Each structure stands twice: as structure tokens, then as C-alpha cells.
Amino acid sequence: MDTLFTSLLEEIRKINLLGVGYFVVTLLTIYVTQWIYRWRNPKCNGILPPGSMGFPLIGETLQLILPSHSLDLPPFLKNRIKKYGHMFKTNVAGRPVIISADPEFNSFILKQDGKLVETWSLDTFAEMTVDFAAKQIFSGDLENAPFNISDMFRDLVEGLMSFPINLPGTAHHKCLQIHKKVRETMRAVLKKRLDSPTVKREGEEDLVNHLMRDMDSQKFLTEDYIVQMMFGLLFVTSDSISTTLALSFKLLAEHHVVLEELIAEHDSILKNKEDLDAPLTWNDYKSMTFTLQVINEVLRLGNIAPGLFRRALKDIPVNGYTIPSGWVIMIATAALHLNSAQFEDPLSFNPWRWKMDNGEGRQNYSSTNYKVSRWISLQDLS
């Protein structure tokens, strides 16, 4: 009798445990299902642009970072623009993002910093360009710095491309520390120059000296502004200039007609100069019309950065959709530069597309927005 009673208790216990297990699994299933639903359908006080939020946690990060092996739009952008249109939603590294290839909206949003949006946030040739730029800006004042300037800026670029988690040991944390150290060193150089304005080494005529001379007449040239300007100038030389120069050499080597006209323009400028050893004048620069066309075309095809990033400070209505407050907006500059509706045969290297028309220049919509999209404020760098 006792054995039968004990067996019965064991069966009841098993049934209870099984029931509890089913209950827990049911709750987990409901929770996970609701969580996936919320992931795929984020809250919005309106209608979100079309698109996909990708896999939970990682979103569409893997698809976005796949490299493109041509000058054409990256497959991630090209496929989604074709499927969803020029504005779509996605998720990158767990953060909801709106990607815009709409020229009008991009031009509008770039003018809304501090209003509707806020900024979010080397190879051997690159090292040479950074060191050369440092020499032009500071003469030899950074040679005795407690760090190698090109190494610091290489680490800085890597940190900016990392996931923004400010914890010790992360690339982003290291990036912020480097930014602070470099700026403190630049500030010390500037303060030393300001405290000893009469001390001038032989042959020293760098950017810092030019800025110091203009501080009295140009009130916006404060110490903070000059330090930030110097930091920004060195930053853009650390990666983007070396990459753009490499692309320039490649395109010029492949297009001999362009190279010949470029050489002819510079030869003409030299022939008109009385003193060949004299520096270039402003009139010389203004006469480099074809050079400017080549520069514009290289920058258009280069698309060094994937885009500009802003974070919405409030809900932003656009074309019947709503971009929720707190969402990141990626302005896909490449989509504008390679838009066949704006540029004929966009993948071809054709500097003459920038040729002046009737003395007024190319003032069409694509040119205006192209110039806006190339501008990245110094705030983006810090």
C-alpha cells in the first residue's frame, strides 16, 4: 500500500514538473514572439518608411559592411533603393536607422544641425600625408610630442569606425582619449606661440602663425576655434586625402586625354608667370578651371565615407512618413553622387560635366546638393 502511494506521489510530482515546464516554455514563447514583433515593428507616432529591421540584435549590420569592389553604389544601398525607394528603415548594430538617398531631404537635413538633428557619434601613404600636414601646420613643434602623430590619427580613424561604446578597453574609448590628448598638445603649442610672439625660428611660416596674426582682426578666431580647426585639418589628411589621391592617380592614368589637358593648363599658367620661383597667386588658382573640374569629378566618384550621420532630436515628418525622435539618420551621399537622374552616365570619369555654361557655371540641382553633401563640419570629427 505504501509503495502504491509513493508511486502515485512520484507520478503527481512528474505531472506538476511537466506542467511547470510547459508553462515556462509557453511564457518564453509568448515573450520572444512579442519581442520579435516589437523589433520588426518599432513604435512610431506616424508611418515609418518601408524597409526591414533585419535579424534581432544585429539587424542588417553584416549586409551593410560588405565591401564594394567597384565605384558603383554598394549592393546594400543599391538593392534596397530599388526595392523600397530613396528612403528606408533598417537596423545597424541594434540601433534603428533611417537611410536617405533623397536629394531634397538630404540637403534639408544637413542644414538642421542643432534644430531637428544633432551630429552622431593608415597605411604608409597616409602616414606621409599626416606628417607632411603636421609640418605645414605646426612646423617642428610636434616633433618632440610624446606620441607619433600619424599613429595617433590611424588609431583615431579606427576608433571612429568602431561601435560607440565608451568603456575602458574598447576602440571607441581609446578614440576619445586620443582626441583629448592630441587637442591638449595642440593647445599647448598654440599657447606657447601666443606667450612668445616675438620668438620665431628661421624659415618658420606655418598655418599657426597665419592664424595668430589674424586673431586681432577676426574675432571668431579664438583659441578653441583654432585648436579645433587644426585638429580637423590633420584628421582629414589621415585617411580621406590619401585615399582620394590614390583614386586620382588611378583615374588620370586610365584617362590620358584628361591628364593631357590638366598638364596643358598648368603649363600655360607657368608660361604666364614672370618669376617661376614665385608662389602661386590667387589669380593663378582662379585660372585652374579644368583642375577644379577634375577635383569635383574625383570627389564625386570617390565617396570615401559611406554617409553622414545625424540623430533626430524630435519626430521629423517627410513625404508622408515620420522619422521618430532618437533614430539615427544616415545621409547616403554616394546615392546622390551616382544618381543617373542627376548625372549622365554617373560611373564614367568625365570632368567636363562640370564645365562652365554661359559663364554662369553649372548651377543645376545636382551641383548644389553635391557641394552641400561634401561638407562635413568639424563637429563631425570630434
Side-chain angles (χ1 to χ4, degrees), residues 87 100 102-117 310 312 314-319 323 329 331 336 365 368-369 372-373:
M87 182 176 293
S100 171
D102 184 300
E104 292 186 8
F105 178 74
N106 290 351
S107 178
F108 166 76
I109 213 68
L110 284 172
K111 302 172 185 176
Q112 297 300 312
D113 276 336
K115 302 173 184 177
L116 293 179
V117 297
R310 297 294 185 268
K314 57 183 71 174
D315 289 356
I316 303 175
V318 51
N319 298 332
I323 299 176
I329 302 171
I331 301 169
L336 169 62
Y365 193 74
T368 302
N369 285 276
V372 170
S373 71

Side-chain angles (χ1 to χ4, degrees), residues 131-191:
D131 292 337
F132 176 79
K135 181 71 175 178
Q136 302 306 307
I137 297 173
F138 301 100
S139 292
D141 285 339
L142 289 183
E143 291 179 357
N144 298 321
F147 53 79
N148 183 287
I149 190 68
S150 58
D151 289 344
M152 296 289 278
F153 273 83
R154 183 189 62 241
D155 293 339
L156 182 70
V157 171
E158 292 177 357
L160 285 175
M161 297 303 175
S162 65
F163 192 72
I165 300 178
N166 186 18
L167 293 175
T170 63
H172 186 71
H173 179 78
K174 183 179 181 181
C175 168
L176 296 177
Q177 296 302 310
I178 290 174
H179 176 247
K180 181 180 179 181
K181 180 184 290 187
V182 173
R183 286 190 52 164
E184 288 175 349
T185 302
M186 291 179 175
R187 189 179 299 278
V189 169
L190 178 60
K191 185 171 177 58

Side-chain angles (χ1 to χ4, degrees), residues 110 236 305 307-308 310 333 371-381:
L110 284 172
V236 297
L308 306 180
R310 297 294 185 268
T333 52
K371 293 175 181 177
V372 170
S373 71
R374 297 307 304 180
W375 173 255
I376 304 179
S377 67
L378 290 176
Q379 292 178 345
D380 286 336
L381 305 179

Side-chain angles (χ1 to χ4, degrees), residues 307-363:
L308 306 180
F309 293 90
R310 297 294 185 268
R311 187 175 71 89
L313 296 175
K314 57 183 71 174
D315 289 356
I316 303 175
V318 51
N319 298 332
Y321 300 119
T322 299
I323 299 176
S325 173
W327 278 47
V328 173
I329 302 171
M330 174 180 164
I331 301 169
T333 52
L336 169 62
H337 302 160
L338 302 177
N339 188 344
S340 59
Q342 305 291 336
F343 296 96
E344 183 180 353
D345 194 9
L347 294 179
S348 68
F349 180 59
N350 178 19
W352 291 277
R353 73 171 80 243
W354 300 97
K355 189 174 182 179
M356 307 291 276
D357 296 329
N358 299 324
E360 298 179 355
R362 180 176 175 172
Q363 295 297 326

Side-chain angles (χ1 to χ4, degrees), residues 149-342:
I149 190 68
S150 58
D151 289 344
M152 296 289 278
F153 273 83
R154 183 189 62 241
D155 293 339
L156 182 70
V157 171
E158 292 177 357
L160 285 175
M161 297 303 175
S162 65
F163 192 72
I165 300 178
N166 186 18
L167 293 175
T170 63
H172 186 71
H173 179 78
K174 183 179 181 181
C175 168
L176 296 177
Q177 296 302 310
I178 290 174
H179 176 247
K180 181 180 179 181
K181 180 184 290 187
V182 173
R183 286 190 52 164
E184 288 175 349
T185 302
M186 291 179 175
R187 189 179 299 278
V189 169
L190 178 60
K191 185 171 177 58
K192 181 180 178 181
R193 296 273 191 97
L194 290 172
D195 292 341
S196 306
T198 58
V199 177
K200 182 177 178 181
R201 292 185 292 276
E202 183 179 355
E204 179 184 286
E205 186 59 30
D206 54 28
L207 179 61
V208 176
N209 276 348
H210 283 287
L211 293 174
M212 287 171 54
R213 286 201 298 268
D214 292 337
M215 286 183 73
D216 292 334
S217 59
Q218 305 295 332
K219 300 303 181 184
F220 71 92
L221 286 176
T222 62
E223 289 188 30
D224 287 337
Y225 185 92
I226 292 176
V227 170
Q228 185 63 33
M229 178 187 292
M230 293 186 298
F231 176 86
L233 288 173
L234 274 182
F235 178 87
V236 297
T237 63
S238 66
D239 186 66
S240 57
I241 287 183
S242 60
T243 305
T244 305
L245 284 176
L247 177 62
S248 302
F249 296 150
K250 177 181 183 297
L251 292 173
L252 290 174
E254 295 173 348
H255 299 80
H256 299 289
V257 176
V258 176
L259 181 59
E260 289 173 1
E261 182 161 342
L262 193 62
I263 293 174
E265 180 175 82
H266 287 253
D267 284 344
S268 175
I269 293 173
L270 290 175
K271 289 178 181 178
N272 293 328
K273 291 181 70 68
E274 295 181 359
D275 182 5
L276 294 180
D277 294 327
L280 291 173
T281 65
W282 179 238
N283 286 331
D284 293 333
Y285 284 114
K286 288 195 297 183
S287 65
M288 296 181 186
T289 54
F290 187 68
T291 302
L292 180 59
Q293 295 170 30
V294 173
I295 291 173
N296 280 339
E297 188 69 350
V298 171
L299 292 177
R300 184 187 68 83
L301 287 172
N303 294 308
I304 304 304
L308 306 180
F309 293 90
R310 297 294 185 268
R311 187 175 71 89
L313 296 175
K314 57 183 71 174
D315 289 356
I316 303 175
V318 51
N319 298 332
Y321 300 119
T322 299
I323 299 176
S325 173
W327 278 47
V328 173
I329 302 171
M330 174 180 164
I331 301 169
T333 52
L336 169 62
H337 302 160
L338 302 177
N339 188 344
S340 59
Q342 305 291 336

Side-chain angles (χ1 to χ4, degrees), residues 6-66:
T6 302
S7 300
L8 183 60
L9 287 178
E10 289 179 358
E11 291 296 327
I12 294 174
R13 189 179 296 111
K14 289 180 181 179
I15 292 174
N16 288 337
L17 290 175
L18 190 62
V20 170
Y22 281 133
F23 180 72
V24 171
V25 170
T26 301
L27 285 180
L28 285 175
T29 302
I30 294 174
Y31 174 79
V32 171
T33 301
Q34 291 181 339
W35 180 69
I36 293 176
Y37 177 82
R38 289 196 299 269
W39 174 273
R40 293 180 175 177
N41 301 274
K43 290 183 179 180
C44 177
N45 297 322
I47 302 175
L48 284 170
S52 170
M53 304 304 286
F55 294 105
L57 298 181
I58 64 172
E60 295 188 306
T61 308
L62 299 179
Q63 296 94 316
L64 177 62
I65 64 177
L66 286 176

